[in-house]
Amino acid sequence: MEESVYITGIGMMTAIGDSVAENFDSLCQLKSGLGFTNYVETIHRDVLPVAEVKHGTGALANMLGIEHHTGLTRTSLLGMIALKDALSSAGIDDTAGLGLINASTVGGMCDTEKVYFDIINPAKTGDFLDYIDTLDCADCTQQLADFFHLDGTLATISTACSSSANALIFGARLVKSGQVDKIICGGTEALTRFTINGFNSLKNIDKQPCKPFDQQRNGLNLGEGAAYLVLESAASMEKRGAKALAVLSGYCNTNEAFHPTSPSPEGDGAFTAMQEALLMAGKKLDEVGYINVHGTATLNNDISEGRALERLFGSDVPAFSSTKPFTGHTLAAAGAIEAIFSILAIRHQVFFPNMNFSERMEELSISPGTELLHNFPVNNVISNSFGFGGNNASLVISKAP
Amino acid sequence: MKDSLNNKCFIQAGSAISPQATFDSDDWSRQLIASDTNRMECIEPAYAAFIAPNSLRRMSRLLKMGLTTAMKCLQEAGITVPGAIITGTGKGSLQDTERFLKNIEEYSERALNPTPFIQSTYNAINGLIALQQQCTRYNNTFVNRGFSFENAMLDSLLYLREHPAETVLLGAFEEMTAEHFFIKERAGYWKPGVNNLNFLQQGNTPGSIAGEGTAYFCLSNQQDSSSLARLRDVEMLYKPGAEKLRSSLQQFLSSNELKVEDISLLLSGENGDARFQQYYDAVEAALGEVPKLPYKVFCGEYDTSTAFATWMASKLMGSGETPLTVSNLLTKPYTSLQNILIYNNYMGDQHSFILIQKA
């Protein structure tokens, strides 16, 4: 019998709130975080909507009581606020021996890109040199570890849009194997000119608020944010008198092996990821109450994810929604943010609607739920995260015993 | 304190592209190639034998190096589709990252070619290997400076414990570009005016010598006559301080039922940087008379240099001989290789022990 993995703490910061509580309120008030950027220097600033956290980098530092923040990137600061929220939710004061499995797709690019051409210019010197080591993905992880005195297992995962789902999977396996008794897992992502132009060059960004699973969908909106979950063994929970918020009962990581940036048309990787995650969780198809889909609103993702749902569940596809019209697509942070939304759905028995939907896709016989529902019975949620490089990850989150 | 993973994990094949002749031949064992400067560059093989011409044209340097090393490793192990593909890289494709940053600037964010953006993604190489070999199973990429390869190794050990009948393709890839070399130079990473033959002799100044490389391994639970070595365990320590480093080494050895005198060889990551020598000194002092080989003479300093050290350890174990290039650098000769310990720290922050045993 494998050890169960409990979730004992959750923390987040997104465009719809600075904490889990604020995020829950925004979801229930149908408040989207989409708008235009205040902080990214780009020609697309008034054209491409983004879900940006509503604080400047200096204000984020102030929220943490940090006076001098040169060298600290927005990626790190978003992560610190979310991680603080998670530790307080878990009731953890003493972080000795505690580890962090972090996720990031472009690390500190948000700040590095502003000074990059100064850094490579031998004639220039100045404060910007403090950002010289912030370009890689380990920088934010180390900043978080140093700020919270985390000296346990440290890792950063970068598998594009599935990064923080894979951070949760890796953390769960470390707990199950007895390598750690508890660990923080999640991801952080700041908006950058680099990624906005990257996705725009792929013609993947909608100039309107995104419409997941809609016939008229025309691409994604990028977002930023951070989210962390504390995973813990039963023994550790008992020892410190902690309570489980939910159980990470199943997970699976697969690869499409189809195309560098497109999923297979029939959603083979998504199908297997969901199927095997449910098998591990020991849950039957009809026990799944809600699916928080990846639902980027790109042409390809929604077809293949939808086909995978139809193939797996047949005519009884559970209620599903994409929460990306609220938070934007937060890339490396998306898996952890949506895992927390899944926990909130279970704990509050609520269904979060798929906003901006009006017309069913011609390729599918299913459509997402569009109404906010309270007293919605749900004990098991599938949360999907699919990314570039064919990296797929599905999580099953279940009600705490 | 955690238990040893104590997996049955055997290295069935290993391949490496490095600044030495390690890919197409065994020439690295007979002749150590000297670098002209404080930047060691990989000897790149002919890629056409491994990658189709139309793909080759679009791929940047690190993608070609990474994919080719992976293909060679799978060929040597006689594996087409591994159970899992798990890699580590500190920086991913720097060439593509730099190119996309410049394209954004040069073309004022208009009509950009997405290829460098796609290839700059850290998991791009993993995706390509999966695509080329039609491997639809577990796939993961770790990006944590001096823990990148070690994390991938830990994930591989866990995976084999969970899936004993499967195989794992474990790898690491890193490149140095002229531009990134300059950035790191500004941050004080390099020692001026040295090459790989003399940088360790200037240990009283900061800085090291830049390196790069790719290395891949096929891992299996099943030992057979082709097994090169056993990958026994890996331990990571974040900013431990010399005292914790010493005690952690003792714990690492004892949790693997070893004493100091059981270690046949230390592959040391010492890099000539005066700021970090204290840690190497502490490990050496704890190991007493154990013969030592400073492996960065072969490959230089980079985030995933321990992948090169692991490749070298598995080759030394597999051949059972002491190559000339190795004996020339050993502090004293070793007798038989039973256990090789790799110790490295990256910029004093990420410290790791890797234990390779005779199969």
Side-chain angles (χ1 to χ4, degrees):
Chain A
M1 170 86 185
E2 275 193 326
E3 170 127 35
S4 288
V5 179
Y6 297 92
I7 298 162
T8 57
I10 50 178
M12 72 200 306
M13 169 168 242
T14 71
I16 60 169
D18 300 347
S19 63
V20 172
E22 285 188 25
N23 269 267
F24 182 64
D25 285 348
S26 295
L27 288 168
C28 292
Q29 290 163 27
L30 307 182
K31 224 166 80 184
S32 165
L34 287 169
F36 292 106
T37 177
N38 283 313
Y39 308 114
V40 183
E41 294 158 20
T42 169
I43 63 162
H44 307 298
R45 61 184 310 152
D46 301 322
V47 184
L48 302 180
V50 292
E52 188 171 61
V53 168
K54 310 291 183 273
H55 308 283
T57 302
L60 293 174
N62 288 340
M63 290 167 74
L64 290 153
I66 298 170
E67 273 178 39
H68 184 74
H69 64 89
T70 313
L72 265 181
T73 65
R74 188 171 175 86
T75 317
S76 297
L77 292 164
L78 292 171
M80 284 173 184
I81 292 169
L83 209 158
K84 199 173 165 187
D85 193 26
L87 287 175
S88 126
S89 152
I92 295 173
D93 299 319
D94 179 10
T95 55
L98 193 55
L100 169 65
I101 312 299
N102 197 25
S104 168
T105 66
V106 290
M109 180 63 86
C110 51
D111 292 273
T112 320
E113 68 185 4
K114 293 178 179 160
V115 294
Y116 189 77
F117 293 93
D118 290 336
I119 289 175
I120 61 172
N121 183 347
K124 295 216 174 177
T125 54
D127 263 5
F128 63 80
L129 288 174
D130 289 346
Y131 290 96
I132 217 159
D133 269 332
T134 64
L135 180 63
D136 68 11
C137 293
D139 175 69
C140 54
T141 308
Q142 287 202 183
Q143 295 285 3
L144 290 171
D146 292 347
F147 190 75
F148 294 101
H149 310 290
L150 308 172
D151 60 356
T153 306
L154 212 58
T156 314
I157 288 176
S158 196
T159 53
C161 311
S162 62
S163 300
S164 59
N166 276 323
L168 284 158
I169 293 176
F170 188 55
R173 290 164 60 225
L174 289 171
V175 171
K176 275 191 189 179
S177 68
Q179 293 288 298
V180 300
D181 60 2
K182 59 179 182 297
I183 192 148
I184 305 163
C185 304
T188 177
E189 192 81 56
L191 283 165
T192 74
R193 190 159 89 134
F194 190 89
T195 34
I196 291 172
N197 279 290
F199 282 92
N200 196 46
S201 70
L202 284 158
K203 301 181 170 51
N204 262 347
I205 302 189
D206 198 335
K207 292 189 170 99
Q208 304 296 320
C210 66
K211 303 179 192 69
F213 281 88
D214 190 284
Q215 175 67 16
Q216 305 303 326
R217 74 196 179 286
N218 195 29
L220 53 79
N221 311 128
L222 289 170
E224 66 180 359
Y228 294 95
L229 295 86
V230 178
L231 304 186
E232 193 159 357
S233 69
S236 167
M237 231 170 38
E238 196 176 328
K239 201 165 86 186
R240 65 183 194 93
K243 281 206 164 59
L245 301 171
V247 183
L248 180 50
S249 52
Y251 47 79
C252 182
N253 159 319
T254 63
N255 193 281
E256 291 279 1
F258 178 74
H259 183 273
T261 58
S262 284
S264 61
E266 292 297 301
D268 294 341
F271 175 84
T272 310
M274 289 191 283
Q275 187 182 47
E276 294 203 6
L278 276 179
L279 191 69
M280 178 189 281
K283 305 294 178 194
K284 294 195 267 313
L285 293 172
D286 62 8
E287 291 179 89
V288 178
Y290 169 47
I291 300 170
N292 186 300
V293 290
H294 188 54
T296 53
T298 55
L299 301 182
N300 290 332
N301 176 82
D302 292 4
I303 292 178
S304 52
E305 189 174 13
R307 292 289 299 130
L309 289 174
E310 291 179 338
R311 283 168 64 197
L312 184 60
F313 290 96
S315 55
D316 294 312
V317 177
F320 69 97
S321 67
S322 165
T323 44
K324 290 191 168 69
F326 286 97
T327 59
H329 187 1
T330 54
L331 306 178
I337 287 172
E338 290 161 24
I340 293 178
F341 289 170
S342 304
I343 295 166
L344 292 174
I346 294 172
R347 289 188 67 75
H348 298 279
Q349 298 286 290
V350 55
F351 176 84
F352 304 122
N354 189 112
M355 294 204 290
N356 308 332
F357 176 87
S358 57
E359 186 183 349
R360 176 180 290 181
M361 290 163 56
E362 64 187 12
E363 297 87 351
L364 299 178
S365 58
I366 52 173
S367 51
T370 56
E371 299 294 325
L372 177 76
L373 302 173
H374 290 284
N375 304 314
F376 177 75
V378 50
N379 295 326
N380 300 287
V381 181
I382 296 178
S383 176
N384 285 337
S385 298
F386 307 137
F388 278 9
N391 279 101
N392 296 328
S394 291
L395 309 173
V396 178
I397 292 167
S398 302
K399 190 175 182 171
Chain B
M1 191 63 198
K2 74 176 181 67
D3 297 331
S4 159
L5 280 162
N6 200 13
N7 276 58
K8 284 203 185 77
C9 171
F10 297 95
I11 301 177
Q12 298 299 98
S15 60
I17 295 176
S18 76
Q20 305 300 323
T22 50
F23 188 77
D24 294 318
S25 71
D26 281 331
D27 289 353
W28 71 275
S29 64
R30 289 177 287 274
Q31 196 199 349
L32 177 66
I33 297 171
S35 61
D36 296 330
T37 65
N38 56 354
R39 180 177 162 204
M40 299 176 75
E41 293 179 62
C42 280
I43 300 170
E44 292 182 63
Y47 296 117
F50 299 91
I51 306 170
N54 56 338
S55 308
L56 199 51
R57 208 163 16 88
R58 285 194 299 271
M59 285 163 116
S60 55
R61 178 172 179 258
L62 189 64
L63 268 72
K64 287 188 271 198
M65 279 170 45
L67 183 59
T68 298
T69 316
M71 292 305 130
K72 175 94 180 298
C73 188
L74 289 171
Q75 274 178 17
E76 282 187 14
I79 294 169
T80 314
V81 187
I85 302 171
I86 306 172
T87 61
T89 180
K91 305 288 181 277
S93 177
L94 285 166
Q95 194 185 78
D96 287 301
T97 307
E98 291 164 4
R99 191 173 291 163
F100 199 63
L101 274 166
K102 284 189 187 133
N103 288 351
I104 290 172
E105 195 76 2
E106 192 177 341
Y107 302 110
S108 307
E109 305 185 61
R110 289 183 179 89
L112 298 174
N113 169 9
T115 303
F117 174 68
I118 297 164
Q119 297 191 358
S120 75
T121 314
Y122 293 82
N123 61 330
I125 291 181
N126 270 37
L128 280 176
I129 301 168
L131 182 58
Q132 185 147 329
Q133 301 304 110
Q134 286 300 297
C135 176
T136 57
R137 306 298 304 164
Y138 187 86
N139 192 302
N140 212 357
T141 303
F142 292 88
V143 291
N144 207 111
R145 292 186 188 158
F147 283 165
S148 308
F149 178 64
E150 285 79 352
N151 279 322
M153 197 179 245
L154 172 60
D155 194 355
S156 302
L157 289 169
L158 282 175
Y159 189 87
L160 281 179
R161 191 149 90 167
E162 296 157 353
H163 306 87
E166 293 188 23
T167 55
V168 172
L169 178 68
L170 162 70
F173 45 90
E174 217 72 62
E175 71 171 335
M176 181 53 71
T177 60
E179 194 163 294
H180 201 69
F181 180 85
F182 172 73
I183 292 174
K184 287 272 188 268
E185 188 172 53
R186 293 196 89 163
Y189 277 66
W190 317 131
K191 216 183 262 305
V194 297
N195 71 2
N196 61 324
L197 304 185
N198 63 24
F199 73 108
L200 288 177
Q201 274 86 65
Q202 298 185 32
N204 54 353
T205 58
S208 184
I209 182 166
E212 58 177 9
T214 57
Y216 277 80
F217 306 91
C218 287
L219 307 178
S220 163
N221 238 305
Q222 317 298 322
Q223 181 178 6
D224 61 32
S225 57
S226 65
S227 301
L228 296 172
R230 178 179 177 191
L231 172 54
R232 177 72 188 247
D233 203 359
V234 55
E235 171 84 30
M236 287 162 263
L237 300 157
Y238 179 61
K239 297 186 178 175
E243 190 40 54
K244 183 166 178 204
L245 182 62
R246 252 193 304 269
S247 62
S248 301
L249 172 59
Q250 297 301 342
Q251 276 171 330
F252 180 70
L253 293 180
S254 61
S255 71
N256 285 294
E257 292 147 3
L258 292 175
K259 296 192 197 62
V260 161
E261 50 271 28
D262 297 323
I263 303 297
S264 329
L265 172 65
L266 168 67
L267 286 181
S268 166
E270 64 187 74
N271 67 353
D273 192 316
R275 295 170 292 179
F276 315 124
Q277 190 57 39
Q278 50 169 319
Y279 303 114
Y280 296 102
D281 290 345
V283 168
E284 266 184 66
L287 290 177
E289 298 298 302
V290 173
K292 176 186 78 171
L293 177 72
Y295 69 82
K296 285 173 189 165
V297 172
F298 292 84
C299 67
E301 176 67 292
Y302 56 100
D303 302 54
T304 48
S305 73
T306 45
F308 179 85
T310 301
W311 175 85
M312 182 180 256
S314 60
K315 288 289 163 187
L316 294 178
M317 286 280 189
S319 76
E321 288 163 17
T322 309
L324 187 64
T325 49
V326 167
S327 59
N328 283 345
L329 285 161
L330 281 173
T331 50
K332 60 188 266 198
Y334 52 78
T335 43
S336 78
L337 284 179
Q338 295 300 321
N339 296 288
I340 297 180
L341 178 70
I342 300 166
Y343 165 67
N344 182 54
N345 77 69
Y346 186 70
M347 296 305 284
D349 291 345
Q350 295 98 24
H351 298 244
S352 64
F353 298 117
I354 295 169
L355 184 60
I356 311 283
Q357 282 187 326
K358 200 173 171 66

